[in-house]
Every structure is written in structure tokens, then in C-alpha cells.
């Protein structure tokens, strides 16, 4: 699992991993299932979603690489996966900073073109 970005670390790289992970609708469904149903094994998730356990395991591996889930060893080699919010928060901060960078120039352009101002 990648560590949370330290001050000065490449936030854009963490955000990119999150965006790649979220680009797939199946991975979004896995995350949504973990969010609504709590920690689960690949077998549990396969019972909740119309996806095989093997496919779930592959998606969980990618989500773990992006730091969005963490694997917790359980009884009898059953690994439970739990959501991690830190990478998602980094991606949200990246998007917020990007939006702030756009707001000024877009407001100036709107004003220059005579459009309404916020």
C-alpha cells in the first residue's frame, strides 16, 4: 500500500493512481460495496456483486496498489479489505487546487466577454 503523501511529495502522482483506479466502473462498484457494507473478503464481495471472486481479487489488487483499500489478514487465510480515505482526500485536494487555478482566468474571461459575474 502506498504511503500517504508527505509534505512536498508528488500529490499529482497519488491523484493519478486514484483517478486510474476510479476510471473502471467495476472498481467503483467494489468501493461502493465496501463503503455501504463495510470490510469484506473477495468472496463476500463476489456474493454482493455480479462479478467472479477471481475478477474481484484482481480489482482489489489494483485498488490496494492505489492505496484505496487495505488488506487485513483474518482467520483461515481470509483477507478482509477495508477502505482507506487518505488517497481519495489527496485526489480531492488536487481537484480543488486545479479548480482554484481555473477560477481566476475563467472569471476574467467571462468579464472580458461581458458575461455575468458570480
Amino acid at each position: 500500500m502506498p504511503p500517504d503523501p508527505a509534505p512536498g511529495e508528488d500529490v499529482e502522482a497519488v491523484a493519478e493512481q486514484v483517478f486510474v483506479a476510479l476510471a473502471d466502473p467495476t472498481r467503483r462498484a467494489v468501493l461502493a460495496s465496501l463503503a455501504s457494507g463495510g470490510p469484506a473478503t473477495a468472496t463476500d464481495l463476489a456474493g454482493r456483486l455480479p462479478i467472479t471472486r477471481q475478477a474481484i481479487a484482481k480489482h482489489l489488487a489494483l485498488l490496494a496498489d492505489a492505496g484505496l483499500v487495505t488488506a487485513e489478514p483474518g482467520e483461515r487465510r481470509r483477507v478482509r479489505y477495508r477502505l482507506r480515505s487518505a488517497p481519495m482526500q489527496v485526489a480531492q485536494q488536487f481537484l480543488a487546487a486545479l479548480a482554484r487555478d481555473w477560477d481566476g482566468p475563467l472569471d476574467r474571461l467571462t468579464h472580458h466577454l461581458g458575461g455575468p459575474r458570480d
Side-chain angles (χ1 to χ4, degrees):
M1 151 178 62
D4 297 338
E9 196 172 353
D10 191 358
V11 170
E12 189 171 345
V14 173
E16 181 178 355
Q17 283 188 300
V18 170
F19 298 143
V20 167
L22 295 178
D24 184 274
T26 300
R27 288 190 290 273
R28 291 192 306 269
V30 169
L31 289 174
S33 182
L34 288 171
S36 66
T41 65
T43 302
D44 296 336
L45 290 166
R48 297 180 198 169
L49 300 167
I51 308 160
T52 66
R53 195 200 72 73
Q54 292 79 8
I56 294 279
K58 289 180 183 182
H59 287 292
L60 285 168
L62 195 141
L63 291 167
D65 287 345
L68 291 167
V69 298
T70 186
E72 300 174 340
E75 60 188 55
R76 297 183 308 203
R77 299 185 332 184
R78 290 175 49 106
V79 177
R80 295 180 73 76
Y81 291 86
R82 177 181 304 278
L83 289 179
R84 288 189 68 243
S85 63
M88 192 72 76
Q89 291 169 352
V90 170
Q92 289 173 330
Q93 291 168 356
F94 174 81
L95 289 174
L98 189 60
R100 281 191 305 274
D101 290 346
W102 285 359
D103 285 345
L106 289 176
D107 287 345
R108 287 192 294 279
L109 178 62
T110 299
H111 178 69
H112 175 76
L113 296 175
R117 298 184 78 187
D118 287 343

